[in-house]
Each structure stands twice: as C-alpha cells, then as structure tokens.
Amino acid sequence: MEDLEKRLKELDPTRLPQHVAIIMDGNGRWARMRSRERSDGHAEGVNSVTRITRFSSDIGIKYLTLYAFSTENWNRPQAEVDMLMNLIGWTIRRETPDLVANNVKIHLLGETDRLPEDVQQSLYDGVKATAHCTGLNLQLCLSYSSRWEITRAVRELAEKAMRGEINPDRIDEHTVAESLSTRDIPDPDLLIRTGGEERVSNFLLWQIAYSELYFTPVLWPDFDNSVYLDALIDYQRRERRFGKTSDQVKAE
Ligand code: FPP
C-alpha cells in the first residue's frame, strides 16, 4: 500500500487520460490455473471491476468504459451466459448505493434489450439512481460490438436521408460520431486489454482511432491498482501526435 502511495506520485495529475477503456480478459484462465470453475473467475473479475472503478474515481479519471459482455459472448455455453447475466444484475444491484456515494454515473452501451428482463431492470434502476452524479462516468458495454453500433448508425443515417432530414453530402465525421452510442463521450485516450491477447475484438473501433493501446499479460482478476498505475504511467510517457510531427507537438 505504501509502495502504491509512492508510485502514485509518479503520476502527473494534470496529464491523466480523460477516458480509459478496458477489455477485461482472462477470467477463465485465472480460474483454470486454480482448477476452479470459470464462474469463479468471473466472480473474481467483479472484484477487479469494483476496485478499478473506485480507483479511477479516486484519482480523477472522468470516463471509464468496460467491455463487460460482447455481442459475440452470446455464443458461449448457455450456462456461462446465464451465470454472467445473473452476476451482472446482482453486481449492479449490490454496487449502486456505493456508486451513488462515490458520485459515479452509470451509462449503458450496447443492445441491452437482449438481456434478461430482470437484469435490464437492475441496470435501468442503476442508471436512474446515478443519473444526478457528476464524478466518474462509468460506461458498461453489454451485448455491445462496434460493428453492431456502426451498422445501426449507418441504418439510422440512411433512414434520415430517405426522409429528407439530412443531406448525404453533408455527412462528415462529426455526423457519424454523433450517431454512435458514445455521442456524449470523448474518445478513449487509453485502451487497456488484460489477459495477454493483443487485439481489439470489435470494441469501440471508430472511437479508438487515436487511442494509446496498452496490453498486459495480467489476467483481469489479478488486475490491481498497481498494474493499472503501470498502464497510466506508461501512457504519460508517450507522445500523442495525432498525425503531426514530434516537432510540431513540442512547439504546441
Ligand atoms: C473475459 O474473460 C471476461 C468476460 C467475457 C466477462 C467479464 C465480465 C465481468 C468481469 C463481470 C462484469 C460485471 C459488471 C457489473 C460490469 P474470459 O472468460 O474470456 O477469460 P479467458 O479468455 O481466460 O477464457
């Protein structure tokens, strides 16, 4: 703990990423390494969710987006899907009072109407209870995939064009960004993936165009504040050029 306090001083509070997005991977392997059920890995993963949410809020991150259940995850064995759904609903119900106390606002991204009704209800209750919060914005991606989101946006824009509400010639990057479910949220500055795989798996493909990517072999249940700090410190060492030259960036 003392070590963490010391290392926190390495972090420049004026250059924190405004938005951190995380692909939480490795729950299953964490369980298998301990000869336990995959469900134990997911349950342990929830502890990482609460820990990282709390720490993000404490250090002043404004947006945290978690890939909790992808569109492709519906293809997992039904028992695992059911278990994850129950876990998500139960966690939200349990954590909502704490989120309110910590001024954390929940947003939902994804095709949430595919979730079981009781889980939807818990999520909407959580969204409602935290609607007034002004601290950390916590985006939970549930039944989310980027291709689903972009396809939906294209369909909506096409329908608006057919109705004459927009001129196709006027569609620009801003129009597209405004049609995505992240319309009110700045693009991620930092995308972290745990669990050792180095891919983005259909997550925020439009929004991560200029994000810094950080891959760690640490499995999600083991992702503690110290590993998170490693990622944040690494992020602060990088030079973000957005297509410009290093000299231009330094001159700014
Ligand atoms: C990936 O590990 C993890 C998931 C598909 C689920 C993550 C969900 C949670 C931790 C619960 C989130 C709850 C809330 C309320 C946000 P994996 O199963 O793919 O691991 P593996 O690659 O080792 O098999």
Side-chain angles (χ1 to χ4, degrees):
M1 203 58 182
E2 205 177 286
D3 190 42
L4 189 74
E5 302 268 302
K6 219 187 286 168
R7 294 198 51 235
L8 253 176
K9 295 203 176 85
E10 288 177 50
L11 208 58
D12 177 352
T14 65
R15 291 178 49 244
L16 279 176
Q18 190 185 11
H19 182 176
V20 178
I22 306 184
I23 301 174
M24 310 180 286
D25 197 13
N27 294 349
R29 277 164 286 161
W30 184 94
R32 198 173 56 227
M33 282 164 61
R34 289 161 179 78
S35 307
R36 285 164 64 179
E37 300 288 330
R38 291 179 61 80
S39 54
D40 289 347
H42 294 312
E44 198 60 36
V46 166
N47 294 336
S48 291
V49 169
T50 50
R51 181 170 58 233
I52 294 306
T53 302
R54 171 61 86 95
F55 189 67
S56 300
S57 162
D58 286 351
I59 64 174
I61 302 280
K62 276 307 285 180
Y63 297 87
L64 175 68
T65 301
L66 301 177
Y67 205 7
F69 192 88
S70 72
T71 306
E72 291 74 23
N73 286 154
W74 289 115
N75 298 322
R76 291 197 172 196
Q78 193 57 43
E80 182 167 342
V81 170
D82 292 345
M83 184 271 160
L84 274 167
M85 288 298 137
N86 285 332
L87 188 65
I88 288 164
W90 176 81
T91 303
I92 288 296
R93 281 195 298 279
R94 188 192 63 179
E95 293 298 322
T96 295
D98 242 36
L99 293 173
V100 173
N102 286 289
N103 203 17
V104 177
K105 184 172 180 169
I106 304 175
H107 303 259
L108 304 175
L109 307 184
E111 225 175 344
T112 43
D113 54 8
R114 285 185 71 181
L115 272 55
E117 268 178 27
D118 59 323
V119 179
Q120 286 186 44
Q121 195 54 55
S122 303
L123 289 163
Y124 300 146
D125 288 347
V127 168
K128 207 165 143 197
T130 62
H132 65 285
C133 295
T134 55
L136 174 72
N137 290 283
L138 174 65
Q139 286 67 239
L140 299 177
C141 298
L142 294 159
S143 190
Y144 173 89
S145 82
S146 201
R147 288 184 175 180
W148 160 78
E149 179 184 43
I150 292 170
T151 306
R152 187 184 65 165
V154 169
R155 194 183 308 123
E156 276 175 19
L157 287 174
E159 282 166 4
K160 279 188 187 163
M162 295 240 306
R163 291 197 297 268
E165 289 166 22
I166 53 165
N167 177 350
D169 286 340
R170 291 276 169 85
I171 295 177
D172 57 14
E173 287 188 16
H174 179 74
T175 324
V176 176
E178 286 293 301
S179 309
L180 300 174
S181 43
T182 47
R183 67 184 66 82
D184 299 320
I185 300 164
D187 287 343
D189 301 294
L190 173 63
L191 170 69
I192 299 173
R193 181 176 186 141
T194 65
E197 313 285 357
E198 300 193 352
R199 52 177 174 256
V200 290
S201 299
N202 215 349
F203 187 44
L204 302 174
L205 300 179
W206 172 277
Q207 297 87 339
I208 61 168
Y210 283 100
S211 304
E212 296 298 325
L213 308 183
Y214 185 88
F215 299 104
T216 170
V218 173
L219 305 174
W220 177 247
D222 292 327
F223 191 81
D224 60 14
N225 294 343
S226 167
V227 188
Y228 190 20
L229 254 184
D230 290 341
L232 295 170
I233 291 168
D234 189 273
Y235 165 83
Q236 292 196 333
R237 291 201 188 107
R238 300 186 192 187
E239 180 184 65
R240 302 188 72 197
R241 290 201 290 274
F242 299 97
K244 295 183 182 170
T245 68
S246 185
D247 288 343
Q248 281 178 303
V249 173
K250 287 194 181 98
E252 284 166 5

